[in-house]
Amino acid sequence: MSGIRSEPPVRLTRDESGQTWDIFVSHASEDKAAVASPLAAALEERGLRVWIDKGELRIGDSLRRKIDDGLAHSSFGIVVFSKSFFAKGWPQYELDGIVGLSVAGKQRMLPIWHEISKDEVEQQSPSLADKIARTTATSTIAEIADEIASVVRDSIAA
């Protein structure tokens, strides 16, 4: 049985270029090589459209505007929680957006814990520790990607 529960599908509007994404990946730069980039690649291999900073940001872009655009036009927000994530400003900005969209029913958050425990997440935010998460301590990137792809496909089919 999947640990990530299914919720009603999110219906997106397209951005100015006609684009939407299945997944927005929020992470600290310290977690990019170990988790964020491999997970994004694994999700793309499974046919999902993924917004991740390295693929969407170009020289001269407004970081805030591009992040807001990616958030607004993604069905799911993956958040790679780690000690580095909680210590940095931009990941917190993205988390605020994902939580706000989730509460409004416009996006769903899928948490990944990387080198952090439930107790440590709970110390940062009790409400975040309540969300069913996957951890890189017990699941491979491929296993996490398979489960996320299944949740996204179930949402599309609903």
Side-chain angles (χ1 to χ4, degrees):
M1 179 172 105
S2 173
I4 300 175
R5 67 186 131 89
S6 183
E7 296 179 16
V10 174
R11 301 293 179 223
L12 295 175
T13 58
R14 298 184 181 280
D15 72 2
E16 293 174 357
S17 66
Q19 181 82 319
T20 63
W21 292 270
D22 297 309
I23 304 285
F24 179 99
V25 181
S26 177
H27 64 285
S29 57
E30 292 83 352
D31 302 321
K32 185 182 296 293
V35 182
S37 291
L39 181 58
L43 292 167
E44 288 172 345
E45 288 171 5
R46 287 156 178 79
L48 301 180
R49 296 174 314 257
V50 180
W51 193 104
I52 187 165
D53 57 359
K54 72 175 185 171
E56 300 302 328
L57 297 175
R58 303 284 184 252
I59 189 168
D61 282 347
S62 164
L63 183 58
R64 182 198 54 81
R65 285 186 194 140
K66 291 297 275 190
I67 287 171
D68 285 348
D69 189 54
L71 286 168
H73 302 287
S74 297
S75 298
F76 292 85
I78 291 175
V79 183
V80 180
F81 291 112
S82 67
K83 291 173 185 144
S84 297
F85 182 93
F86 286 112
K88 301 186 97 175
W90 279 112
Q92 293 297 305
Y93 177 83
E94 294 170 354
L95 176 61
D96 290 345
I98 291 168
V99 169
L101 290 167
S102 294
V103 168
K106 296 179 179 179
Q107 188 179 79
R108 285 179 291 201
M109 178 173 43
L110 304 176
I112 309 297
W113 297 349
H114 178 60
E115 298 178 347
I116 196 167
S117 69
K118 181 176 182 169
D119 289 341
E120 291 169 309
V121 172
E122 192 170 61
Q123 288 172 4
Q124 296 292 326
S125 174
S127 61
L128 292 175
D130 181 57
K131 279 289 235 188
I132 300 296
R134 288 293 160 257
T135 175
T136 58
T138 59
S139 298
T140 67
I141 295 296
E143 291 168 339
I144 293 168
D146 285 341
E147 186 170 5
I148 290 169
S150 175
V151 169
V152 172
R153 286 189 195 104
D154 288 350
S155 173
I156 293 168

PDB file of all heavy atoms in Angstrom, residues 57-85:
ATOM      1  N   LEU A  57      16.089  28.034 -14.699  1.00  0.00           N
ATOM      2  CA  LEU A  57      16.653  29.366 -14.459  1.00  0.00           C
ATOM      3  C   LEU A  57      17.746  29.669 -15.474  1.00  0.00           C
ATOM      4  O   LEU A  57      18.628  28.848 -15.724  1.00  0.00           O
ATOM      5  CB  LEU A  57      17.218  29.457 -13.036  1.00  0.00           C
ATOM      6  CG  LEU A  57      16.193  29.287 -11.920  1.00  0.00           C
ATOM      7  CD1 LEU A  57      16.886  29.275 -10.565  1.00  0.00           C
ATOM      8  CD2 LEU A  57      15.151  30.392 -11.964  1.00  0.00           C
ATOM      9  N   ARG A  58      17.684  30.854 -16.039  1.00  0.00           N
ATOM     10  CA  ARG A  58      18.658  31.306 -17.028  1.00  0.00           C
ATOM     11  C   ARG A  58      19.262  32.638 -16.578  1.00  0.00           C
ATOM     12  O   ARG A  58      18.654  33.373 -15.798  1.00  0.00           O
ATOM     13  CB  ARG A  58      17.988  31.511 -18.403  1.00  0.00           C
ATOM     14  CG  ARG A  58      17.287  30.273 -18.947  1.00  0.00           C
ATOM     15  CD  ARG A  58      18.311  29.279 -19.484  1.00  0.00           C
ATOM     16  NE  ARG A  58      17.658  28.147 -20.094  1.00  0.00           N
ATOM     17  CZ  ARG A  58      17.635  26.937 -19.564  1.00  0.00           C
ATOM     18  NH1 ARG A  58      18.213  26.691 -18.437  1.00  0.00           N
ATOM     19  NH2 ARG A  58      17.028  25.955 -20.170  1.00  0.00           N
ATOM     20  N   ILE A  59      20.409  32.948 -17.113  1.00  0.00           N
ATOM     21  CA  ILE A  59      21.076  34.191 -16.780  1.00  0.00           C
ATOM     22  C   ILE A  59      20.120  35.381 -16.995  1.00  0.00           C
ATOM     23  O   ILE A  59      19.399  35.436 -17.989  1.00  0.00           O
ATOM     24  CB  ILE A  59      22.374  34.375 -17.599  1.00  0.00           C
ATOM     25  CG1 ILE A  59      23.180  35.556 -17.084  1.00  0.00           C
ATOM     26  CG2 ILE A  59      22.077  34.485 -19.091  1.00  0.00           C
ATOM     27  CD1 ILE A  59      24.591  35.627 -17.632  1.00  0.00           C
ATOM     28  N   GLY A  60      20.075  36.249 -16.013  1.00  0.00           N
ATOM     29  CA  GLY A  60      19.223  37.436 -16.088  1.00  0.00           C
ATOM     30  C   GLY A  60      17.810  37.239 -15.579  1.00  0.00           C
ATOM     31  O   GLY A  60      17.068  38.211 -15.429  1.00  0.00           O
ATOM     32  N   ASP A  61      17.397  35.994 -15.300  1.00  0.00           N
ATOM     33  CA  ASP A  61      16.047  35.734 -14.795  1.00  0.00           C
ATOM     34  C   ASP A  61      15.889  36.291 -13.382  1.00  0.00           C
ATOM     35  O   ASP A  61      16.849  36.327 -12.599  1.00  0.00           O
ATOM     36  CB  ASP A  61      15.761  34.229 -14.727  1.00  0.00           C
ATOM     37  CG  ASP A  61      15.440  33.613 -16.068  1.00  0.00           C
ATOM     38  OD1 ASP A  61      15.189  34.357 -17.035  1.00  0.00           O
ATOM     39  OD2 ASP A  61      15.439  32.366 -16.145  1.00  0.00           O
ATOM     40  N   SER A  62      14.685  36.669 -13.057  1.00  0.00           N
ATOM     41  CA  SER A  62      14.348  37.003 -11.677  1.00  0.00           C
ATOM     42  C   SER A  62      14.105  35.696 -10.936  1.00  0.00           C
ATOM     43  O   SER A  62      13.183  34.947 -11.283  1.00  0.00           O
ATOM     44  CB  SER A  62      13.084  37.867 -11.620  1.00  0.00           C
ATOM     45  OG  SER A  62      12.558  37.879 -10.306  1.00  0.00           O
ATOM     46  N   LEU A  63      14.927  35.418  -9.934  1.00  0.00           N
ATOM     47  CA  LEU A  63      14.793  34.169  -9.184  1.00  0.00           C
ATOM     48  C   LEU A  63      13.416  34.055  -8.561  1.00  0.00           C
ATOM     49  O   LEU A  63      12.740  33.027  -8.688  1.00  0.00           O
ATOM     50  CB  LEU A  63      15.884  34.098  -8.109  1.00  0.00           C
ATOM     51  CG  LEU A  63      15.950  32.835  -7.275  1.00  0.00           C
ATOM     52  CD1 LEU A  63      16.136  31.604  -8.138  1.00  0.00           C
ATOM     53  CD2 LEU A  63      17.080  32.934  -6.258  1.00  0.00           C
ATOM     54  N   ARG A  64      12.941  35.092  -7.907  1.00  0.00           N
ATOM     55  CA  ARG A  64      11.633  35.064  -7.259  1.00  0.00           C
ATOM     56  C   ARG A  64      10.518  34.826  -8.268  1.00  0.00           C
ATOM     57  O   ARG A  64       9.632  34.004  -8.055  1.00  0.00           O
ATOM     58  CB  ARG A  64      11.372  36.358  -6.489  1.00  0.00           C
ATOM     59  CG  ARG A  64      10.032  36.328  -5.753  1.00  0.00           C
ATOM     60  CD  ARG A  64       9.548  37.714  -5.359  1.00  0.00           C
ATOM     61  NE  ARG A  64       9.480  38.664  -6.450  1.00  0.00           N
ATOM     62  CZ  ARG A  64       8.467  38.729  -7.336  1.00  0.00           C
ATOM     63  NH1 ARG A  64       7.463  37.891  -7.279  1.00  0.00           N
ATOM     64  NH2 ARG A  64       8.476  39.642  -8.285  1.00  0.00           N
ATOM     65  N   ARG A  65      10.557  35.530  -9.379  1.00  0.00           N
ATOM     66  CA  ARG A  65       9.487  35.376 -10.384  1.00  0.00           C
ATOM     67  C   ARG A  65       9.473  33.973 -10.987  1.00  0.00           C
ATOM     68  O   ARG A  65       8.414  33.396 -11.204  1.00  0.00           O
ATOM     69  CB  ARG A  65       9.647  36.414 -11.485  1.00  0.00           C
ATOM     70  CG  ARG A  65       9.236  37.789 -11.048  1.00  0.00           C
ATOM     71  CD  ARG A  65       9.275  38.765 -12.208  1.00  0.00           C
ATOM     72  NE  ARG A  65       9.207  40.118 -11.701  1.00  0.00           N
ATOM     73  CZ  ARG A  65       9.899  41.123 -12.170  1.00  0.00           C
ATOM     74  NH1 ARG A  65      10.712  40.955 -13.205  1.00  0.00           N
ATOM     75  NH2 ARG A  65       9.782  42.320 -11.658  1.00  0.00           N
ATOM     76  N   LYS A  66      10.651  33.434 -11.285  1.00  0.00           N
ATOM     77  CA  LYS A  66      10.706  32.090 -11.874  1.00  0.00           C
ATOM     78  C   LYS A  66      10.225  31.037 -10.879  1.00  0.00           C
ATOM     79  O   LYS A  66       9.504  30.113 -11.246  1.00  0.00           O
ATOM     80  CB  LYS A  66      12.131  31.768 -12.356  1.00  0.00           C
ATOM     81  CG  LYS A  66      12.573  32.584 -13.556  1.00  0.00           C
ATOM     82  CD  LYS A  66      11.736  32.323 -14.778  1.00  0.00           C
ATOM     83  CE  LYS A  66      12.222  31.142 -15.536  1.00  0.00           C
ATOM     84  NZ  LYS A  66      11.599  30.953 -16.848  1.00  0.00           N
ATOM     85  N   ILE A  67      10.614  31.180  -9.612  1.00  0.00           N
ATOM     86  CA  ILE A  67      10.148  30.240  -8.584  1.00  0.00           C
ATOM     87  C   ILE A  67       8.634  30.346  -8.441  1.00  0.00           C
ATOM     88  O   ILE A  67       7.929  29.327  -8.428  1.00  0.00           O
ATOM     89  CB  ILE A  67      10.853  30.499  -7.242  1.00  0.00           C
ATOM     90  CG1 ILE A  67      12.303  30.022  -7.324  1.00  0.00           C
ATOM     91  CG2 ILE A  67      10.124  29.807  -6.090  1.00  0.00           C
ATOM     92  CD1 ILE A  67      13.164  30.425  -6.144  1.00  0.00           C
ATOM     93  N   ASP A  68       8.127  31.568  -8.348  1.00  0.00           N
ATOM     94  CA  ASP A  68       6.674  31.753  -8.221  1.00  0.00           C
ATOM     95  C   ASP A  68       5.940  31.162  -9.419  1.00  0.00           C
ATOM     96  O   ASP A  68       4.892  30.524  -9.267  1.00  0.00           O
ATOM     97  CB  ASP A  68       6.320  33.234  -8.072  1.00  0.00           C
ATOM     98  CG  ASP A  68       6.627  33.789  -6.690  1.00  0.00           C
ATOM     99  OD1 ASP A  68       6.910  32.994  -5.771  1.00  0.00           O
ATOM    100  OD2 ASP A  68       6.578  35.023  -6.530  1.00  0.00           O
ATOM    101  N   ASP A  69       6.483  31.350 -10.612  1.00  0.00           N
ATOM    102  CA  ASP A  69       5.869  30.806 -11.816  1.00  0.00           C
ATOM    103  C   ASP A  69       5.869  29.276 -11.772  1.00  0.00           C
ATOM    104  O   ASP A  69       4.858  28.636 -12.074  1.00  0.00           O
ATOM    105  CB  ASP A  69       6.630  31.313 -13.047  1.00  0.00           C
ATOM    106  CG  ASP A  69       5.922  30.981 -14.336  1.00  0.00           C
ATOM    107  OD1 ASP A  69       4.730  31.327 -14.474  1.00  0.00           O
ATOM    108  OD2 ASP A  69       6.559  30.361 -15.213  1.00  0.00           O
ATOM    109  N   GLY A  70       6.990  28.692 -11.386  1.00  0.00           N
ATOM    110  CA  GLY A  70       7.065  27.236 -11.276  1.00  0.00           C
ATOM    111  C   GLY A  70       6.095  26.698 -10.240  1.00  0.00           C
ATOM    112  O   GLY A  70       5.404  25.700 -10.466  1.00  0.00           O
ATOM    113  N   LEU A  71       6.030  27.358  -9.095  1.00  0.00           N
ATOM    114  CA  LEU A  71       5.099  26.942  -8.041  1.00  0.00           C
ATOM    115  C   LEU A  71       3.652  27.025  -8.516  1.00  0.00           C
ATOM    116  O   LEU A  71       2.863  26.106  -8.305  1.00  0.00           O
ATOM    117  CB  LEU A  71       5.277  27.809  -6.795  1.00  0.00           C
ATOM    118  CG  LEU A  71       6.518  27.550  -5.955  1.00  0.00           C
ATOM    119  CD1 LEU A  71       6.704  28.659  -4.931  1.00  0.00           C
ATOM    120  CD2 LEU A  71       6.435  26.197  -5.279  1.00  0.00           C
ATOM    121  N   ALA A  72       3.296  28.140  -9.125  1.00  0.00           N
ATOM    122  CA  ALA A  72       1.911  28.384  -9.530  1.00  0.00           C
ATOM    123  C   ALA A  72       1.423  27.419 -10.605  1.00  0.00           C
ATOM    124  O   ALA A  72       0.221  27.193 -10.730  1.00  0.00           O
ATOM    125  CB  ALA A  72       1.760  29.824 -10.023  1.00  0.00           C
ATOM    126  N   HIS A  73       2.344  26.846 -11.359  1.00  0.00           N
ATOM    127  CA  HIS A  73       1.945  26.011 -12.491  1.00  0.00           C
ATOM    128  C   HIS A  73       2.384  24.552 -12.333  1.00  0.00           C
ATOM    129  O   HIS A  73       2.569  23.838 -13.317  1.00  0.00           O
ATOM    130  CB  HIS A  73       2.468  26.619 -13.793  1.00  0.00           C
ATOM    131  CG  HIS A  73       1.964  28.016 -14.010  1.00  0.00           C
ATOM    132  ND1 HIS A  73       0.664  28.281 -14.370  1.00  0.00           N
ATOM    133  CD2 HIS A  73       2.555  29.209 -13.832  1.00  0.00           C
ATOM    134  CE1 HIS A  73       0.491  29.582 -14.435  1.00  0.00           C
ATOM    135  NE2 HIS A  73       1.617  30.172 -14.113  1.00  0.00           N
ATOM    136  N   SER A  74       2.522  24.110 -11.068  1.00  0.00           N
ATOM    137  CA  SER A  74       2.873  22.717 -10.769  1.00  0.00           C
ATOM    138  C   SER A  74       1.780  22.086  -9.909  1.00  0.00           C
ATOM    139  O   SER A  74       1.266  22.724  -8.995  1.00  0.00           O
ATOM    140  CB  SER A  74       4.200  22.652 -10.003  1.00  0.00           C
ATOM    141  OG  SER A  74       5.259  23.141 -10.782  1.00  0.00           O
ATOM    142  N   SER A  75       1.448  20.840 -10.200  1.00  0.00           N
ATOM    143  CA  SER A  75       0.416  20.122  -9.440  1.00  0.00           C
ATOM    144  C   SER A  75       0.901  19.657  -8.076  1.00  0.00           C
ATOM    145  O   SER A  75       0.144  19.620  -7.123  1.00  0.00           O
ATOM    146  CB  SER A  75      -0.071  18.901 -10.222  1.00  0.00           C
ATOM    147  OG  SER A  75      -0.665  19.285 -11.430  1.00  0.00           O
ATOM    148  N   PHE A  76       2.169  19.256  -8.005  1.00  0.00           N
ATOM    149  CA  PHE A  76       2.735  18.722  -6.772  1.00  0.00           C
ATOM    150  C   PHE A  76       4.012  19.469  -6.439  1.00  0.00           C
ATOM    151  O   PHE A  76       4.781  19.820  -7.332  1.00  0.00           O
ATOM    152  CB  PHE A  76       3.070  17.232  -6.919  1.00  0.00           C
ATOM    153  CG  PHE A  76       1.865  16.350  -7.065  1.00  0.00           C
ATOM    154  CD1 PHE A  76       1.289  16.154  -8.304  1.00  0.00           C
ATOM    155  CD2 PHE A  76       1.318  15.724  -5.957  1.00  0.00           C
ATOM    156  CE1 PHE A  76       0.172  15.339  -8.449  1.00  0.00           C
ATOM    157  CE2 PHE A  76       0.206  14.907  -6.091  1.00  0.00           C
ATOM    158  CZ  PHE A  76      -0.378  14.721  -7.337  1.00  0.00           C
ATOM    159  N   GLY A  77       4.249  19.667  -5.153  1.00  0.00           N
ATOM    160  CA  GLY A  77       5.489  20.255  -4.686  1.00  0.00           C
ATOM    161  C   GLY A  77       6.249  19.237  -3.858  1.00  0.00           C
ATOM    162  O   GLY A  77       5.811  18.881  -2.763  1.00  0.00           O
ATOM    163  N   ILE A  78       7.362  18.737  -4.396  1.00  0.00           N
ATOM    164  CA  ILE A  78       8.239  17.871  -3.619  1.00  0.00           C
ATOM    165  C   ILE A  78       9.135  18.781  -2.795  1.00  0.00           C
ATOM    166  O   ILE A  78       9.718  19.735  -3.320  1.00  0.00           O
ATOM    167  CB  ILE A  78       9.103  16.989  -4.531  1.00  0.00           C
ATOM    168  CG1 ILE A  78       8.234  15.955  -5.247  1.00  0.00           C
ATOM    169  CG2 ILE A  78      10.219  16.309  -3.730  1.00  0.00           C
ATOM    170  CD1 ILE A  78       8.985  15.129  -6.257  1.00  0.00           C
ATOM    171  N   VAL A  79       9.235  18.481  -1.516  1.00  0.00           N
ATOM    172  CA  VAL A  79      10.116  19.245  -0.644  1.00  0.00           C
ATOM    173  C   VAL A  79      11.128  18.278  -0.051  1.00  0.00           C
ATOM    174  O   VAL A  79      10.757  17.311   0.610  1.00  0.00           O
ATOM    175  CB  VAL A  79       9.338  19.966   0.477  1.00  0.00           C
ATOM    176  CG1 VAL A  79      10.284  20.813   1.310  1.00  0.00           C
ATOM    177  CG2 VAL A  79       8.215  20.825  -0.102  1.00  0.00           C
ATOM    178  N   VAL A  80      12.411  18.530  -0.320  1.00  0.00           N
ATOM    179  CA  VAL A  80      13.489  17.713   0.222  1.00  0.00           C
ATOM    180  C   VAL A  80      13.924  18.369   1.534  1.00  0.00           C
ATOM    181  O   VAL A  80      14.700  19.321   1.547  1.00  0.00           O
ATOM    182  CB  VAL A  80      14.667  17.595  -0.759  1.00  0.00           C
ATOM    183  CG1 VAL A  80      15.778  16.728  -0.154  1.00  0.00           C
ATOM    184  CG2 VAL A  80      14.209  17.025  -2.101  1.00  0.00           C
ATOM    185  N   PHE A  81      13.355  17.879   2.632  1.00  0.00           N
ATOM    186  CA  PHE A  81      13.684  18.425   3.941  1.00  0.00           C
ATOM    187  C   PHE A  81      15.020  17.871   4.422  1.00  0.00           C
ATOM    188  O   PHE A  81      15.254  16.668   4.361  1.00  0.00           O
ATOM    189  CB  PHE A  81      12.604  18.074   4.968  1.00  0.00           C
ATOM    190  CG  PHE A  81      11.302  18.780   4.731  1.00  0.00           C
ATOM    191  CD1 PHE A  81      10.179  18.077   4.331  1.00  0.00           C
ATOM    192  CD2 PHE A  81      11.205  20.146   4.915  1.00  0.00           C
ATOM    193  CE1 PHE A  81       8.979  18.721   4.121  1.00  0.00           C
ATOM    194  CE2 PHE A  81      10.007  20.807   4.705  1.00  0.00           C
ATOM    195  CZ  PHE A  81       8.884  20.099   4.301  1.00  0.00           C
ATOM    196  N   SER A  82      15.868  18.743   4.900  1.00  0.00           N
ATOM    197  CA  SER A  82      17.169  18.375   5.453  1.00  0.00           C
ATOM    198  C   SER A  82      17.581  19.491   6.407  1.00  0.00           C
ATOM    199  O   SER A  82      16.925  20.541   6.473  1.00  0.00           O
ATOM    200  CB  SER A  82      18.210  18.241   4.331  1.00  0.00           C
ATOM    201  OG  SER A  82      18.457  19.515   3.747  1.00  0.00           O
ATOM    202  N   LYS A  83      18.657  19.291   7.109  1.00  0.00           N
ATOM    203  CA  LYS A  83      19.164  20.356   7.981  1.00  0.00           C
ATOM    204  C   LYS A  83      19.515  21.581   7.146  1.00  0.00           C
ATOM    205  O   LYS A  83      19.237  22.719   7.545  1.00  0.00           O
ATOM    206  CB  LYS A  83      20.362  19.850   8.776  1.00  0.00           C
ATOM    207  CG  LYS A  83      19.956  18.812   9.792  1.00  0.00           C
ATOM    208  CD  LYS A  83      21.159  18.175  10.476  1.00  0.00           C
ATOM    209  CE  LYS A  83      20.650  17.058  11.374  1.00  0.00           C
ATOM    210  NZ  LYS A  83      21.500  15.928  11.425  1.00  0.00           N
ATOM    211  N   SER A  84      20.104  21.380   5.976  1.00  0.00           N
ATOM    212  CA  SER A  84      20.443  22.505   5.093  1.00  0.00           C
ATOM    213  C   SER A  84      19.193  23.235   4.626  1.00  0.00           C
ATOM    214  O   SER A  84      19.178  24.464   4.536  1.00  0.00           O
ATOM    215  CB  SER A  84      21.238  22.008   3.882  1.00  0.00           C
ATOM    216  OG  SER A  84      22.465  21.448   4.274  1.00  0.00           O
ATOM    217  N   PHE A  85      18.130  22.478   4.328  1.00  0.00           N
ATOM    218  CA  PHE A  85      16.883  23.092   3.875  1.00  0.00           C
ATOM    219  C   PHE A  85      16.365  24.080   4.913  1.00  0.00           C
ATOM    220  O   PHE A  85      16.002  25.211   4.582  1.00  0.00           O
ATOM    221  CB  PHE A  85      15.826  22.000   3.623  1.00  0.00           C
ATOM    222  CG  PHE A  85      14.530  22.542   3.109  1.00  0.00           C
ATOM    223  CD1 PHE A  85      14.293  22.611   1.747  1.00  0.00           C
ATOM    224  CD2 PHE A  85      13.547  22.998   3.972  1.00  0.00           C
ATOM    225  CE1 PHE A  85      13.093  23.131   1.255  1.00  0.00           C
ATOM    226  CE2 PHE A  85      12.352  23.506   3.505  1.00  0.00           C
ATOM    227  CZ  PHE A  85      12.129  23.570   2.138  1.00  0.00           C
TER     228      PHE A  85
END
